[in-house]
Amino acid sequence: MTSRNNTLESPRLGEPYLLTPGPLTTSYAVKQAMLRDWGSWDGDFRAMTAEMRRRLLDMLGQGADEFDCVPMQGSGTFSVEAMLGTFVPRNGKVLVLANGAYGLRSGQTLACLGIEHVVLDKGDYLPPRGDEVAQILADDPAITHVVAIHCETSSGILNPIEEISQATYAAGRKLLIDSMSAFGALPLEVAKIRYEAMVSSANKCIEGVPGFGFIIARKTELEAAKGNSTSLSLDVHAQWATMNKTGQWRFTPPTHVVAAFLEALRAHEAEGGVEGRGARYTRNRDVMVAGMRELGFETLLKDRWQSPIIVTFFCPADPKFVFEDFYEMMKAKGFIIYPGKLTVVESFRIGCIGQMDEHVMRQVVAAAKNTLDELGVRDATPPAQALIERAKLAA
Ligand SMILES: *Cc1c(COP(=O)(O)O)cnc(C)c1O
């Protein structure tokens, strides 16, 4: 941890920490890996692509050999669209489990793709539960696939993905997971949670820079998906087939981003893989939440549902608290926080992921305390309505 700390603090040249769920604060080594040009067709870069795919598959644990990893250019949303458009047959029907912006975006994507779907919309943050999924699937035999969000980044809730998987397969349907903000820090071992495909991207828990996503899918599903996609560039099967045949991406890959990502993957392994990464983020969250609670702030979620990825706090009731001012003053102290996404009460979010450790999180809390003082806010307690909202969530 001490050597990482040095890389964390010295060469940032006054850049603020990004307490956001990606792009996030990356290490100096990751940035440095981009100071070289690569030929996309050259053997060196093909070897980098192969190593990256292998390292990502290794995170699935036992049974990983039944899966393959297909990187895809673009931001995470491009990979979600590629996954949905490739694995759901044109006459398929999807149940989308939504409790925030990313669940709703999957629904919107299916609408654009012209794929039949229903959305279970749980609102801002309530989790979709296994029994609800079971009921909907029992009532609608036409549904072929369920789409779930692992960590819904808009609230920071960790959705009950095991329960959802069990309900899906008990009904003989297939699960597709958006694990964008969780993969690499939260386990998604194929021997423990059944699914056909999942998607994540370079700039979240692996701590790379933005530029591509990747789809990890069961090989039998990849084979069966030939011809499903109505998109040329977002066809996961075509990208997979080409990559396996030539070692190359079909269209220009983000070479520098891949080089940076490989560096990030090596650091991920050195930190102890998914377990080590998850442990640091959990510690980040625990230290930060405890400190913020001491100041009177309250979290949206009860601890049971709170992911170690990002935390939603209610804005204090005190009218002297104006989020825009709080944001600017935190930024001046070196911390970029994130606006909230709740529709009912005002909130903001603080991310726990990226090249940061508990020392940084203590500085975040100290900065929040000083900012409250400067604003003249004595007590960060939220309005009563906020606590009524939270009471809707099971303990
Ligand atoms: C970040 C994220 C995405 C993708 O967002 P992009 O802005 O396209 O990278 C999708 N789903 C979840 C849950 C996310 O956190």
Side-chain angles (χ1 to χ4, degrees), residues 7 11-13 26-33 355:
T7 24
R12 288 177 41 252
L13 308 169
T26 57
S27 73
Y28 192 71
V30 162
K31 292 189 247 287
Q32 210 167 27
Q355 272 292 292

Side-chain angles (χ1 to χ4, degrees), residues 74-83 102 105 109 180 199 201 234:
S75 88
T77 303
F78 292 59
S79 284
V80 175
E81 184 162 344
M83 172 176 77
Y102 292 107
R105 189 180 295 174
T109 306
M180 202 72 66
V199 57
S201 74
L234 295 178

Side-chain angles (χ1 to χ4, degrees), residues 104-151:
L104 294 177
R105 189 180 295 174
S106 268
Q108 215 183 343
T109 306
L110 289 163
C112 286
L113 291 169
I115 294 173
E116 212 190 330
H117 61 285
V118 284
V119 179
L120 171 64
D121 185 356
K122 299 287 295 187
D124 278 349
Y125 58 88
L126 293 177
R129 301 306 301 259
D131 51 1
E132 295 174 281
V133 174
Q135 190 60 55
I136 295 168
L137 296 180
D139 292 344
D140 189 348
I143 294 171
T144 54
H145 292 71
V146 175
V147 172
I149 314 296
H150 194 178
C151 168

Side-chain angles (χ1 to χ4, degrees), residues 35 59 66 120 148 158 176 182 191 207 246 258 302 330 369:
L35 292 175
M59 290 184 211
E66 284 170 36
L120 171 64
L158 186 56
L176 306 174
E207 301 184 354
T246 68
V258 173
K302 292 177 181 169
M330 287 295 284
K369 181 178 188 311

Side-chain angles (χ1 to χ4, degrees), residues 158-209:
L158 186 56
N159 281 322
I161 207 80
E162 286 190 59
E163 189 178 292
I164 291 165
S165 171
Q166 277 161 13
T168 302
Y169 287 95
R173 320 300 167 86
K174 293 175 171 178
L175 181 63
L176 306 174
I177 302 175
D178 171 353
S179 185
M180 202 72 66
S181 62
F183 188 74
L186 297 172
L188 202 53
E189 288 177 33
V190 291
K192 294 192 181 131
I193 299 173
R194 188 164 169 197
Y195 54 90
E196 304 309 314
M198 59 127 284
V199 57
S200 185
S201 74
N203 60 285
K204 303 239 168 163
C205 297
I206 314 285
E207 301 184 354
V209 301

